[in-house]
Amino acid sequence: MHRLLLLLLLAAPACVPLGTPITDPNAARQPGQQRPPEYYADKALRYEDYVYDPDVRTVQCYVGTGVNTEVFQPPIVPISQQQPIVLEFDLLGSSSERMTAKLVHCDADWKPSVLTDMQFLNEINEFLITDYRTGVNVKVPYYHYRMQVPRVKLSGNYLLVVSGAGGVPVLSRRLLVYENSVEVAIRQGIPVAGQERYTLQQVDFSIGYGGFNIVNPSQEIKVMLRQNFRWDNAKTNLRPTFVRDAERRLDYQYFNFENAFAASSEFRYADLRSLRVAGAGVAQLDPAASPRAVVLSPEATRNGQSYSQFDDINGQRVIESREYGNGATNADYANVTFQLRAPSAAPGPVYVFGALSDWQLKDEFKLTYNEEQKQYTGTALLKQGYYNYYYVVGKPSGPPDDVYFEGSHQETENQYDLLVYYRPPGTRADLLIGYQMLAVNSRRP
């Protein structure tokens, strides 16, 4: 720890540009199709998971555990980094492009820290991605890129930025590296209310700092609580409800739902692993179309219905081809049409939402309401695989409403994790000093 503090004390400012939102088109396209010149024109960097180039697709960032479920592991590793963080993505088109990556160390609020590259890296902060292969026997040509993120020397938040020709960013991903300097205890609580206990899930936690020297822990420690590894609805600015100086412990147990989330329902699913035989949730296939076309079965709202239990993957996805195996280069892309029945239009725009949309309200996944058919429809270009998703309603501010169409049941299986940050006195960057996960209503052994 003393070595880490010395490195931080030597910090100096670094400049990285800030950015503004970029939107995606509503209709899927084939590579090379003409687009309006203003589309994706703003390439300024955003400090979040984002895609800046419409030809970059199917971005996956996970911990390479070596097992077939590794894609479900969020990009969070201990400071030992014995298992690397892996990034994979596709670039649509018939020609490859030189891609480079770099890391940006960020503070707890995801603004760039003032550390120099050599204070968190042992090498030059520019990494050429040399592992790329072309898609095989596909109607939508693409190149598949893969890289392992280099080891870092400090814990904290990192933004991995991949750039193409001219150093223009094409994608960015948030990564976390943590220490176990404090003891984190996290458990499921019970919302103190009436009806809410049937629709919300509350997470209580405590932080023990007995072996860690903190002068004013209630003010100096920052925490962030997430559901299913999402950033859009994370709980921030949580202050301890009890400060136990004698025990050197902070307790966080609220009574006004500050640490409670809508439990929602298990995620909807669509099996697109085969483009020859209709999988679960698929109504029609057109393998002769280019790109291939898939129409999903019409779905209905689940709000007001009783809870239905089935296994899901918490909004994630698995890229795979049933016909040819390796999904990285053998899976093809298809235009996938979603259909959602609704007796009337929702009070806001409706989107397909999940890891397939980077947990963002992207225009490509926006649905259009047909008053005569009483149905929402929309089409997006997706790679073969197994997908989880919700239908959500966008709001003017804050996270989208996933209860309007999905309902909410405290029996739902969800994952939660807690991030604990601390900035040592006299230093200029936040360290991630504790991390813990919690599976609520898990049905896995």
Side-chain angles (χ1 to χ4, degrees):
M1 177 57 69
H2 294 296
R3 181 174 62 85
L4 299 182
L5 294 180
L6 287 173
L7 288 168
L8 287 170
L9 287 169
L10 296 174
C15 296
V16 185
L18 293 171
T20 54
I22 304 171
T23 56
D24 204 1
N26 192 33
R29 70 179 179 93
Q30 296 190 51
Q33 181 177 329
Q34 186 66 33
R35 285 193 178 274
E38 69 275 11
Y39 184 73
Y40 273 49
D42 190 346
K43 304 293 185 181
L45 184 63
R46 297 171 60 103
Y47 293 89
E48 59 182 286
D49 295 344
Y50 216 82
V51 174
Y52 309 85
D53 189 319
D55 287 335
V56 172
R57 299 274 175 161
T58 319
V59 182
Q60 293 184 291
C61 195
Y62 57 90
V63 178
T65 60
V67 298
N68 56 3
T69 58
E70 63 183 5
V71 293
F72 302 146
Q73 302 298 317
I76 306 168
V77 291
I79 192 66
S80 62
Q81 299 159 81
Q82 294 178 346
Q83 295 174 322
I85 293 176
V86 176
L87 174 72
E88 297 187 60
F89 64 94
D90 292 337
L91 179 67
L92 300 187
S94 301
S95 60
S96 62
E97 186 174 328
R98 184 179 186 272
M99 295 285 184
T100 60
K102 67 174 294 184
L103 287 168
V104 180
H105 187 275
C106 296
D107 293 334
D109 57 359
W110 288 101
K111 294 180 181 178
S113 74
V114 295
L115 299 185
T116 61
D117 294 344
M118 295 309 296
Q119 288 176 296
F120 59 84
L121 280 173
N122 284 318
E123 50 195 313
I124 296 175
N125 193 5
E126 184 177 53
F127 310 98
L128 179 64
I129 303 178
T130 57
D131 185 355
Y132 58 94
R133 293 167 292 165
T134 184
V136 179
N137 294 324
V138 293
K139 290 192 175 183
V140 177
Y142 65 86
Y143 275 81
H144 181 77
Y145 289 76
R146 186 180 189 276
M147 71 166 292
Q148 287 190 4
V149 179
R151 293 167 60 98
V152 296
K153 297 187 288 186
L154 295 179
S155 68
N157 294 345
Y158 289 88
L159 188 74
L160 178 66
V161 182
V162 176
S163 300
V168 178
V170 298
L171 70 91
S172 55
R173 279 297 179 271
R174 289 177 171 182
L175 320 176
L176 300 174
V177 179
Y178 66 91
E179 309 170 30
N180 287 311
S181 300
V182 295
E183 296 180 3
V184 180
I186 181 172
R187 63 182 178 85
Q188 183 178 6
I190 300 177
V192 183
Q195 188 65 27
E196 285 81 2
R197 69 178 56 196
Y198 301 107
T199 61
L200 301 182
Q201 290 175 343
Q202 179 168 308
V203 179
D204 298 332
F205 55 94
S206 63
I207 300 171
Y209 56 97
F212 200 69
N213 185 24
I214 303 177
V215 178
N216 188 359
S218 64
Q219 298 296 320
E220 295 176 353
I221 284 183
K222 298 179 181 179
V223 298
M224 177 175 291
L225 184 63
R226 302 190 300 172
Q227 181 189 58
N228 295 326
F229 312 115
R230 290 168 56 179
W231 294 103
D232 64 300
N233 65 345
K235 305 288 187 180
T236 59
N237 300 319
L238 298 175
R239 294 299 178 187
T241 50
F242 301 99
V243 180
R244 306 186 186 278
D245 290 329
E247 303 171 31
R248 297 183 66 79
R249 190 177 82 238
L250 304 176
D251 288 340
Y252 298 75
Q253 185 174 355
Y254 298 95
F255 304 96
N256 294 317
F257 312 124
E258 292 95 330
N259 56 337
F261 294 80
S264 195
S265 300
E266 309 299 349
F267 282 83
R268 301 174 190 259
Y269 57 87
D271 189 348
L272 310 178
R273 288 175 291 182
S274 175
L275 294 178
R276 294 180 179 176
V277 180
V282 175
Q284 299 176 31
L285 284 173
D286 185 358
S290 184
R292 293 178 169 92
V294 178
V295 178
L296 301 187
S297 301
E299 300 178 275
T301 181
R302 297 189 289 176
N303 196 350
Q305 298 181 0
S306 59
Y307 171 71
S308 179
Q309 177 180 324
F310 53 86
D311 289 335
D312 68 359
I313 51 177
N314 290 326
Q316 298 301 314
R317 57 189 170 173
V318 178
I319 304 304
E320 183 182 346
S321 169
R322 278 283 176 85
E323 287 80 20
Y324 303 108
N326 179 24
T329 54
N330 291 336
D332 204 351
Y333 279 83
N335 280 329
V336 180
T337 299
F338 295 84
Q339 302 182 88
L340 174 64
R341 296 194 181 105
S344 60
V350 176
Y351 297 84
V352 181
F353 188 75
L356 78 174
S357 69
D358 285 339
W359 301 103
Q360 296 168 7
L361 302 181
K362 290 189 173 183
D363 285 348
E364 180 181 2
F365 293 94
K366 186 177 181 179
L367 305 182
T368 302
Y369 187 66
N370 186 305
E371 181 67 37
E372 294 182 359
Q373 298 179 358
K374 303 295 182 183
Q375 181 170 275
Y376 281 97
T377 58
T379 301
L381 186 68
L382 295 175
K383 197 174 185 181
Q384 278 183 267
Y386 184 87
Y387 287 83
N388 270 188
Y389 59 92
Y390 278 152
Y391 292 113
V392 302
V393 180
K395 298 188 295 186
S397 62
D401 181 358
D402 56 13
V403 177
Y404 186 88
F405 286 113
E406 306 300 345
S408 190
H409 308 274
Q410 60 88 17
E411 301 96 333
T412 302
E413 186 270 329
N414 286 304
Q415 288 181 296
Y416 296 89
D417 63 346
L418 182 72
L419 318 176
V420 182
Y421 296 94
Y422 174 65
R423 178 173 296 196
T427 64
R428 299 180 180 181
D430 297 317
L431 302 178
L432 184 53
I433 62 171
Y435 179 76
Q436 191 62 261
M437 290 192 296
L438 171 69
V440 172
N441 299 327
S442 176
R443 263 86 67 176
R444 298 177 179 84

